[in-house]
Amino acid sequence: MIPVPNLMPALPEIFVFGMACVILVADVFRSERAPLLPYALAQLTLIGAAALTALGDERGYAFGQMFVADELSVLLKLGVYAVTFVVFAYSRDYLQARGMYRGEYFVLGLFGVVGMMVMVSASHFLTLYLGLELLSLSLYAMVAFQRDSALATEAAMKYFVLGAMASGMLLYGMSMIYGVTGSLELSAVAHAVAGIGADDIVLVFGLVFIVVGVAFKLGAVPFHMWVPDVYHGAPSAVTLYVGTAPELAAFALVIRLLIDGLEDLAGAWQGMLVVLAVLSMALGNVIAIAQSNIKRMLAYSAISHMGFLLLGILSATPAGYSAGLFYVLTYAAMSAAAFGMVILLSRSGFEAERLEDFKGLNQRSPWHAFLMLIVMFSMAGVPPTVGFYAKLLVIQSVVSAGLVWLAVLSVLFAVIGAYYYLRIVKLMYFDEPAEVTPPIAAPREFRFLLGANALLLVAVMPWVGDVIDWCNAAIRSLP
């Protein structure tokens, strides 16, 4: 008799994938009287998946130890649902105003969510790779969503070609690890690596290729070339998606590969991550100063934030991993609010992509200028925002690891980075508007969600200890 596999740990993934297929079919037969059907179904899918994930009591492995449901995967999945919910809500009116409102946007977004969910629950190299490719293919298609835009098409082609090269690197590294350890299961690989040690040259070469693949997915320097072009070329609604939830999956990619599988090679990958972190913080912060396009500025800002994220990982301690997890959750919330403001100021036929478009925002709308001020302060790491606490935690982890010089360097780069965030504040409060602009018009639910998103960056501070405890518990669940 063939045993029935236990599918309960993967029930949220099955639900989201099934609903994405349902929305795809429903959109084909959608009546013109129900234009919001794909959007409403997509949001209900995310709410349902969150309920299944939070209330589900099935923890453990599935599909022959290839899939794991643990505390880390639960926390990251809830983060992915929440951020994607906000992204869809911000995107709806933007897409409608530009004639791009199609069900495919939400279907591709949900397929990308499934890819992220598989990545955060992977306990096998192949599962991790399948999740990564599902997410990547969805992102390539979404970047090219505005088909008549040469800029978007070029960005999608560049993203696809460079992404394929990075995937090849990652796959080649995995094959070399398999050749040495004889397994693709992360726990078995970790056990084999502990016995072999870091002296095996093939093992180290495999690690190098894996770190290169991971660095590309994170957008870390010198594998960052795709980030500014994709952020700039894609429609703002797609940039919002690319720059938020996938960062949570990228963090899971690092944790599952380097911590779950190859932690005994920490002495080898720590040095590589130090180089990537320093280059990312330096180049990201310095080049962002020269940008006049806010989407490109936020792209280089993202590169520098990935450098700070790597500070937590390279400390190779549970406290550092927890700090990295807290950092990526904070960054996803900050990035969603920043791109939400870009979308808010845009209107049909006009994209608020230049820094000058923020001139005199305080005169036009003091409330939205205040919200943007909170977002910029949090990204810069100004107290009492949650961004300050996130930077403080990763720097503390580096100090605890004995890398004081790196902590000093990261503080220096954080000060340099504060310049371009504060420049936005200066434009909003001290400059006159560049031209006569119509009043900001956005649906009430959009403005409410954006306000809650931005205020959360300050309002969460009394409970930040609880969030840290959740991050610590998630890291402790790792094998």
Side-chain angles (χ1 to χ4, degrees):
M1 182 176 178
I2 300 175
V4 178
N6 179 20
L7 300 178
M8 292 305 291
L11 191 58
E13 282 81 358
I14 296 170
F15 172 72
V16 176
F17 187 80
M19 283 302 297
C21 296
V22 168
I23 295 170
L24 189 63
V25 175
D27 187 53
V28 174
F29 299 100
R30 172 167 57 97
S31 164
E32 292 184 358
R33 289 178 296 180
L36 299 182
L37 182 65
Y39 168 75
L41 286 176
Q43 297 293 52
L44 288 174
T45 299
L46 293 170
I47 294 171
L52 287 173
T53 303
L55 303 178
D57 56 358
E58 286 290 338
R59 300 288 188 270
Y61 291 89
F63 303 113
Q65 308 292 310
M66 295 179 74
F67 184 96
V68 62
D70 55 13
E71 297 303 323
L72 177 64
S73 66
V74 169
L75 181 58
L76 284 174
K77 284 177 191 175
L78 291 176
V80 167
Y81 304 145
V83 172
T84 308
F85 184 92
V86 171
V87 168
F88 285 170
Y90 288 168
S91 304
R92 188 191 70 188
D93 291 291
Y94 178 91
L95 297 171
Q96 285 180 323
R98 288 152 185 80
M100 292 192 293
Y101 182 86
R102 298 191 294 273
E104 292 96 317
Y105 175 83
F106 302 102
V107 172
L108 287 169
L110 288 180
F111 280 140
V113 168
V114 176
M116 293 181 234
M117 294 166 73
V118 172
M119 286 173 70
V120 302
S121 281
S123 62
H124 195 280
F125 277 142
L126 287 184
T127 316
L128 199 58
Y129 189 75
L130 286 175
L132 176 63
E133 286 307 292
L134 179 56
L135 171 62
S136 299
L137 290 174
S138 302
L139 293 180
Y140 302 150
M142 290 180 79
V143 172
F145 201 70
Q146 196 172 12
R147 287 173 295 190
D148 55 351
S149 168
L151 201 59
T153 308
E154 180 187 340
M157 282 300 296
K158 186 177 290 186
Y159 193 17
F160 174 73
V161 172
L162 293 176
M165 289 175 61
S167 295
M169 293 276 189
L170 195 62
L171 204 56
Y172 190 52
M174 289 177 178
S175 67
M176 294 177 84
I177 298 289
Y178 174 73
V180 176
T181 63
S183 178
L184 289 172
E185 188 184 323
L186 289 173
S187 59
V189 167
H191 182 72
V193 168
I196 296 170
D199 296 330
D200 190 288
I201 191 69
V202 180
L203 195 61
V204 174
F205 265 102
L207 175 66
V208 170
F209 280 106
I210 283 180
V211 170
V212 169
V214 167
F216 177 89
K217 298 303 178 185
L218 283 173
V221 178
F223 309 102
H224 64 288
M225 294 77 73
W226 62 274
V227 181
D229 290 339
V230 168
Y231 275 45
H232 185 201
S236 295
V238 175
T239 309
L240 169 65
Y241 183 91
V242 174
T244 51
E247 305 294 356
L248 301 175
F251 174 80
L253 179 70
V254 177
I255 289 290
R256 296 301 185 195
L257 281 175
L258 299 186
I259 313 303
D260 270 5
L262 303 170
E263 191 170 21
D264 283 301
L265 296 178
W269 55 251
Q270 195 176 34
M272 290 186 266
L273 295 194
V274 167
V275 175
L276 293 173
V278 171
L279 289 177
S280 299
M281 289 187 294
L283 191 139
N285 281 317
V286 172
I287 297 187
I289 293 174
Q291 302 304 311
S292 59
N293 181 293
I294 192 166
K295 287 167 71 176
R296 293 188 77 87
M297 190 202 85
L298 291 174
Y300 284 104
S301 161
I303 292 169
S304 71
H305 280 291
M306 290 305 104
F308 279 98
L309 169 65
L310 288 175
L311 293 182
I313 306 296
L314 63 86
S315 65
T317 61
Y321 307 149
S322 178
L325 176 56
F326 181 77
Y327 196 95
V328 77
L329 290 170
T330 302
Y331 174 73
M334 294 188 301
S335 184
F339 281 110
M341 285 300 302
V342 174
I343 289 177
L344 176 76
L345 297 185
S346 301
R347 56 187 181 274
S348 181
F350 172 76
E351 299 292 330
E353 294 184 353
R354 300 174 305 160
L355 294 185
E356 287 75 11
D357 297 327
F358 285 80
K359 278 185 174 179
L361 180 60
N362 184 51
Q363 299 175 26
R364 297 166 56 198
S365 174
W367 172 244
H368 291 112
F370 175 67
L371 295 179
M372 190 62 173
L373 177 141
I374 292 176
V375 176
M376 291 295 102
F377 275 13
S378 187
M379 282 196 158
V382 175
T385 59
V386 72
F388 165 75
Y389 204 77
K391 278 191 168 64
L392 181 65
L393 283 180
V394 293
I395 291 173
Q396 279 181 340
S397 69
V398 172
V399 173
S400 301
L403 299 169
V404 178
W405 67 270
L406 185 55
V408 173
L409 206 58
S410 60
V411 171
L412 176 64
F413 287 131
V415 172
I416 294 173
Y419 172 80
Y420 56 87
Y421 294 123
L422 297 180
R423 184 172 58 178
I424 299 284
V425 176
K426 180 253 182 188
L427 290 172
M428 291 190 301
Y429 283 90
F430 299 103
D431 285 19
E432 295 293 325
E435 56 189 19
V436 177
T437 52
I440 295 172
R444 183 176 301 173
E445 60 271 21
F446 181 104
R447 285 180 280 144
F448 173 78
L449 196 57
L450 183 59
N453 189 174
L455 292 178
L456 183 69
L457 302 177
V458 176
V460 76
M461 286 306 289
W463 297 276
V464 73
D466 295 327
V467 180
I468 292 292
D469 289 342
W470 294 339
C471 294
N472 289 333
I475 294 300
R476 282 197 300 272
S477 72
L478 294 173

